[in-house]
Amino acid sequence: MAPTILMTDPAHFEVDYVINPWMRPEDWHRDAVANRAAARAAWTGLAAALRAAGARLEVLPGAPGLPDMVFPANAAVVLDRRALLARFACAERRPEEARFRAGFRGLQARGLLDEVAELPEGLYQEGAGDCLWDAGRGHFWAGHGQRSLRAAIPHLAAFFGQEVVPLELVSPRFYHLDVCFCPLPGGELLYHPGAFAPASLAAIHERIPPAQRIAADAEEAGLLCLNAVALGRDLVMARTSPRLRAVLAERGYRLAELDLAPFILSGGAAFCMTLRLDRSTAPALPPQALATLPAG
Ligand code: ARG
């Protein structure tokens, strides 16, 4: 079965306010027409790369005045056909909640989801951007301290009935877990150690042996290439560094590197422009396929 990925049409995307250190409205508005065209081209390129890697896409409409709807990773956490809708920390994005709620109810009506639930109001949690399923280890990793509250984590654990490992984010530049932490299908972790509080870094290192750690420095993480979509051996990501390109290739990954500059100007890249709708607790690959992945 093809992986099913949700995206949001980029027609209303722009950079018009500042809610993270990447966002520069003045750069966007210096040539909004060209930037809009570049964003459309970059989005289309991402959609094509995901399809080429075997994904089936579902596309929700955006809405005027809600430019960041183009990042549906922030809309919900989805596992085993159950969606827990996000609560946005920033007032600018809060009106997205009603739009995404309607969109997800539509997906449920079409049989793509079994359940769409909500977090209590005020319990900020920005979806899969701050809650990543680690298929190999069978638990979530959840970011808090920037956009999502630590208090939301017990709700994630209770709703999904899964272990959730909290990770405290300490850098405004790396404000969502998905820009600094990327578990790979072969068991490796691509991450930027500088984004985490010491105790959280220790928790990562306790669970992931050195041979499976691929550390990116601040400059590499600053390319937002850790915000990657992994589909088996295919990694769809913003342009990465020559060093990481070589490390990942050596581990057996095929990279599709894209120019996502218009979205990076908003602090987002490949992963947060997507949301997997078919993520499940069942192992992603049959045992024979796992055996052919490189040893971590
Ligand atoms: N401008 C958006 C924001 O600041 C970008 C979100 C990117 N999403 C992510 N999961 N990294 O909310």
Side-chain angles (χ1 to χ4, degrees):
M1 244 212 335
T4 307
I5 291 180
L6 181 69
M7 292 182 75
T8 304
D9 184 277
H12 299 289
F13 174 70
E14 59 183 344
V15 183
D16 212 25
Y17 50 70
V18 179
I19 55 172
N20 71 54
W22 300 89
M23 298 182 85
R24 287 199 305 271
E26 52 308 339
D27 284 7
W28 177 270
H29 288 294
R30 197 164 296 133
D31 197 345
V33 173
N35 281 321
R36 211 173 278 282
R40 170 64 70 181
W43 188 95
T44 304
L46 174 60
L50 294 169
R51 286 199 183 97
R56 202 181 68 73
L57 302 184
E58 287 288 328
V59 181
L60 286 181
L66 296 176
D68 284 341
M69 276 190 80
V70 84
F71 303 112
N74 293 129
V77 180
V78 179
L79 187 70
D80 290 337
R81 300 173 51 87
R82 302 173 72 224
L84 186 59
L85 296 172
R87 293 288 186 189
F88 286 93
C90 303
E92 289 84 346
R93 295 197 67 178
R94 231 165 270 153
E96 294 179 31
E97 291 175 15
R99 299 280 182 162
F100 278 124
R101 188 181 307 121
F104 278 75
R105 297 249 181 255
L107 296 172
Q108 183 182 9
R110 290 181 37 230
L112 288 160
L113 295 170
D114 292 332
E115 187 183 345
V116 179
E118 292 177 37
L119 282 164
E121 242 174 271
L123 201 60
Y124 305 128
Q125 199 291 319
E126 296 197 336
D130 263 335
C131 188
L132 301 177
W133 178 248
D134 189 324
R137 295 177 186 85
H139 67 77
F140 282 114
W141 300 93
H144 66 91
Q146 300 289 323
R147 296 289 191 82
S148 300
L149 294 174
R150 186 170 173 131
I153 290 176
H155 287 258
L156 293 167
F159 178 76
F160 291 107
Q162 300 293 335
E163 185 188 6
V164 183
V165 179
L167 296 176
E168 186 186 352
L169 301 172
V170 294
S171 162
R173 255 167 82 72
F174 304 112
Y175 61 96
H176 278 139
L177 185 60
D178 69 358
V179 295
C180 51
F181 189 93
C182 182
L184 298 177
E188 306 90 341
L189 173 71
L190 178 57
Y191 72 126
H192 172 51
F196 299 93
S200 296
L201 198 56
I204 295 170
H205 291 169
E206 199 176 290
R207 285 166 187 260
I208 301 189
Q212 289 188 317
R213 299 178 202 154
I214 305 174
D217 64 25
E219 201 179 318
E220 290 169 324
L223 300 169
L224 292 189
C225 58
L226 275 54
N227 194 251
V229 181
L231 293 165
R233 290 168 175 281
D234 290 300
L235 297 184
V236 181
M237 51 164 57
R239 296 237 163 86
T240 188
S241 69
R243 186 193 72 90
L244 279 180
R245 186 177 298 138
V247 169
L248 292 167
E250 201 202 320
R251 298 275 189 158
Y253 292 101
R254 264 189 307 263
L255 271 56
E257 293 180 64
L258 305 168
D259 177 2
L260 297 175
F263 299 102
I264 290 176
L265 197 56
S266 185
F271 181 89
C272 54
M273 295 171 69
T274 68
L275 180 65
R276 272 295 284 269
L277 295 176
D278 62 327
R279 226 176 262 296
S280 91
T281 47
L285 296 169
Q288 324 87 283
L290 280 174
T292 66
L293 285 175

